[in-house]
Amino acid sequence: MHLYCRHKRRRVRPRLSTLAAVGFMAAMAVLLAEPVRAGSTTPDLAALKARYARPAQIPYPADNPYSAVKSELGRTLFFDPRLSGPSTMSCASCHNPSLSWGDGLPNGIGSAANKLGRRSPTILNLAWASAMGWDGRADTLEQQAVGPIQAPGEMNQSMPKLLTTLATIPGYRDAFEAAFPGEPVSEKTIGKAIATFERSVVSAKAPFDRWIDGDETAIPEAAKRGFVTFNTKANCAACHSGWRFTDDSFHDIGLPDADLGRGKIVEGVDLLMHAFKTPGLRNIAGRGPYMHNGSIRAMTAVIEHYDHGYTQRASLSTEIRALHLTETDVLELVAFMQTLTSKDPAIELPTLPTEAMN
Ligand code: HEC
Ligand code: HEC
């Protein structure tokens, strides 16, 4: 069901990236001869695996192409608490690299120690995403980045004040001039710099990817069976599809709360009531508590939700149905999801430019 997905055409600028080129072709011949579960209705494993190959490069939009100085400026802004009104909170307060770019809390906490309505999602792998936010309210990373800065409940900053502050810090003035020659420091250039940095936040290769690339020893047998269950009996791949494990679309999976999600953004579509963006599953094992409201703590509990724990209502996705999973199925699904955890390179914290002495 990709009905509500937005497909945007973006010119992809090839760039060498940290992602290695995908080398799964060589492994195919070996895999074809090696069914995961002998005697059952084994799907064509090679074809299944081919759907999960990683892309070779990060896509950057034509109207905000990559440059190293821009990405570096974006990284500095992302970690700078001066972007918030009280100068206490940066983007990284809620999107913390040591917590897989989330905050590990059921709900985000704003700069006035206030509880937000939803959980802080990871910003991993968003270069490929077509809508931002649990409800997809922003179309691009550029648009999204300037939202939390000014949101009273989040960073509570006045944009004119921030522009003045940044323009008076020599290090920032120079960095903006290098990244956007001849342009003033503006909401637009702040958004572009942060978005460029965010696109570079990509999960590294996980054991799962090494298996996809042909290393049969990279993941346990139970995880291989879990992968097949994920794609067949458990129907997870109906929504968590492709190497990021998301269809970038919106679904009601039957979580019992009053939040209408996408239904508040696009009104009058019954199926979008209680619908939220399908989160990617990279590094999922360390990213709990789960869901837009942080209501599910354990991965086994997530699977039990899909098996039989969902709320029946008119907007419930037609892909959600009783699964009749066995205990072994559940454990193997968890074993599979654990293979999506990558050891990402440590993020070097930027040196924040200091204010001019006078
Ligand atoms: C107070 C905590 C907090 C701060 C600070 C914060 N965010 Fe977020 N962020 C959230 C929450 C909560 C959401 C989900 C909002 C929603 O969908 O309703 C979110 C969503 C996002 C998303 C969308 C992710 C996705 O998968 O769709 C991006 C990108 C993002 N934030 C980037 C940023 C940037 C850049 C900054 C700094 C300018 C920032 N955030 C500051 C809590 C925070
Ligand atoms: C109908 C589409 C759909 C199907 C089928 C589906 N999911 Fe999801 N999944 C979603 C959506 C949408 C969310 C976010 C829901 C929310 O927060 O309201 C989600 C959330 C999750 C999360 C939490 C992610 C996070 O960052 O909080 C996990 C884990 C997960 N799903 C795993 C699975 C597994 C395992 C299966 C199969 C048993 C499955 N999903 C089947 C759409 C789906």
Side-chain angles (χ1 to χ4, degrees), residues 232-310:
T232 54
K233 181 178 177 186
N235 200 35
C236 314
C239 305
H240 297 282
S241 51
W243 77 278
R244 287 186 299 128
F245 296 90
T246 173
D247 58 0
D248 289 310
S249 192
F250 303 88
H251 311 273
D252 173 10
I253 64 160
L255 290 167
D257 77 5
D259 194 337
L260 290 179
R262 186 76 178 151
K264 268 195 295 202
I265 306 285
V266 182
E267 283 172 27
V269 182
D270 290 346
L271 264 180
L272 291 182
M273 295 302 157
H274 304 283
F276 292 86
K277 188 171 81 167
T278 310
L281 298 181
R282 291 275 166 180
N283 292 304
I284 191 67
R287 285 207 284 105
Y290 302 110
M291 307 302 174
H292 70 272
N293 54 9
S295 59
I296 306 188
R297 294 213 156 260
M299 285 211 284
T300 46
V302 169
I303 298 167
E304 279 157 19
H305 166 86
Y306 286 112
D307 185 64
H308 59 263
Y310 48 85

Side-chain angles (χ1 to χ4, degrees), residues 84-86 89 94 107-118 120 147-157:
S84 67
M89 170 167 256
C94 301
N107 293 75
I109 305 287
S111 62
N114 52 303
K115 194 164 140 179
L116 302 180
R118 293 179 187 153
S120 310
I149 299 175
Q150 299 167 85
E154 294 182 58
M155 298 165 85
N156 198 21
Q157 175 65 289

